[in-house]
Amino acid sequence: MRRIRLIVSYDGTNYCGWQKQPNGITIEEVLNNTISKLTGEEIEIIGASRTDSGVHAYRNVAVFDTNARMAADKFAFAINQRLPDDIRIQYSDEVEAGWHPRKNDCIKTYTYRILNRKIDIPTERLYAHFCYFNLDVDKMREASGYFIGTHDFTSFCSQKSQASSPVRTIFSLEVLQDEDMITVVIRGDGFLYNMIRIIAGTLIKVGMGVYPPSHILEIMKAKNRKLAGQTMPAKGLTLVEIEYI
């Protein structure tokens, strides 16, 4: 039995997230069915990041076990020939049998895109959150610094989270601006349920002037989800990369 690793990119618009579930089609389900037909085996793929419904990915990581004799690097091409256009395998290789994408230390990078202008742009409607109110990017950048480091992120976590601990480490958080597009780039050792989308919603409130950048500290210390910003729509969120240490 061999373990094959895949680098997976996808447009999450038409999917109910990564993880297989009864109420709609998912990335995991499509990959399981596609690879099972290719190898003639019952495949159960394991993903590194179980992204939510509507979230996109450039480089998610997944593995599956197979007895197929195909060269490891050829799996990407063979699987892509059978996938829908909104899912693509960027790379495939063979790893040790015990290598697990969720049990190895890693750094995850996500982006959240905010289109900040008076009128929406139709071509961005599936990949960025539209914000009509003028945002102060300098204040958002100042606020972003308070998130960096190891903290208890209870205030920035959905109540549905099943994590054993609310403590996470954020290595960097940047707020970039290119004309009307604001991009929040966040790198960390892992994220709680909806954590990035709540952080983005909180930064937007700072940008709107609802409260000052330093208020992030008070929200964090309170450990109260109700004090942070709203959970922003999934469409603005993209998993960019997973770097294994």
Side-chain angles (χ1 to χ4, degrees):
M1 187 70 71
R2 307 160 63 203
R3 177 154 287 193
I4 304 299
R5 176 172 54 187
L6 307 175
I7 307 300
V8 190
S9 60
Y10 47 87
D11 180 333
T13 303
N14 296 320
Y15 299 94
C16 295
W18 173 275
Q19 194 168 12
K20 188 166 58 175
Q21 52 186 284
N23 66 336
I25 190 168
T26 66
I27 305 295
E28 184 180 53
E29 179 184 353
V30 171
L31 290 174
N32 283 345
N33 293 341
T34 301
I35 302 171
S36 294
K37 291 177 182 178
L38 173 66
T39 65
E41 304 162 303
E42 190 66 30
I43 297 296
E44 290 290 338
I45 201 163
I46 303 171
S49 185
R50 290 168 286 190
T51 53
D52 292 339
S53 177
V55 176
H56 316 293
Y58 290 140
R59 293 176 62 86
N60 203 346
V61 179
V63 297
F64 67 93
D65 296 324
T66 180
N67 285 308
R69 297 173 63 88
M70 182 185 300
D73 63 330
K74 301 300 182 185
F75 273 101
F77 300 99
I79 296 170
N80 282 338
Q81 290 178 354
R82 296 163 171 80
L83 286 173
D85 292 341
D86 51 7
I87 306 175
R88 280 293 177 269
I89 308 302
Q90 299 298 325
Y91 177 78
S92 60
D93 64 358
E94 187 169 347
V95 293
E96 295 179 3
W99 194 89
H100 195 291
R102 290 200 298 272
K103 295 180 180 179
N104 289 276
D105 292 337
C106 66
I107 299 173
K108 296 182 179 180
T109 302
Y110 281 85
T111 60
Y112 195 90
R113 301 172 75 238
I114 305 158
L115 182 62
N116 189 208
R117 64 200 316 270
K118 296 303 180 185
I119 299 175
D120 200 355
I121 298 177
T123 54
E124 295 288 356
R125 74 190 189 282
L126 302 178
Y127 310 105
H129 169 67
F130 172 59
C131 180
Y132 172 87
F133 299 100
N134 186 44
L135 298 177
D136 188 325
V137 175
D138 289 334
K139 287 185 178 179
M140 294 172 69
R141 287 172 178 153
E142 183 181 345
S144 68
Y146 294 102
F147 290 103
I148 297 172
T150 302
H151 305 287
D152 183 322
F153 283 97
T154 298
S155 293
F156 302 92
C157 171
S158 170
Q159 294 180 349
K160 294 181 180 179
S161 177
Q162 299 177 348
S164 58
S165 170
V167 176
R168 293 292 185 273
T169 299
I170 292 182
F171 301 112
S172 65
L173 201 168
E174 297 178 281
V175 181
L176 310 177
Q177 185 174 26
D178 183 9
E179 296 183 350
D180 296 330
M181 187 65 71
I182 299 170
T183 304
V184 177
V185 184
I186 184 168
R187 297 174 72 248
D189 63 355
F191 299 96
L192 302 167
Y193 186 58
N194 286 340
M195 177 175 161
I196 301 173
R197 290 159 61 187
I198 296 170
I199 288 176
T202 306
L203 288 174
I204 287 174
K205 283 211 166 189
V206 172
M208 292 171 60
V210 176
Y211 41 66
S214 60
H215 190 59
I216 299 300
L217 282 177
E218 296 178 35
I219 297 173
M220 197 173 293
K221 291 177 181 177
K223 301 179 184 179
N224 184 344
R225 169 67 189 93
K226 294 180 180 179
L227 299 183
Q230 69 184 92
T231 303
M232 303 310 295
K235 64 182 181 178
L237 184 61
T238 298
L239 169 60
V240 175
E241 188 173 19
I242 300 175
E243 308 166 66
Y244 287 93
I245 302 172

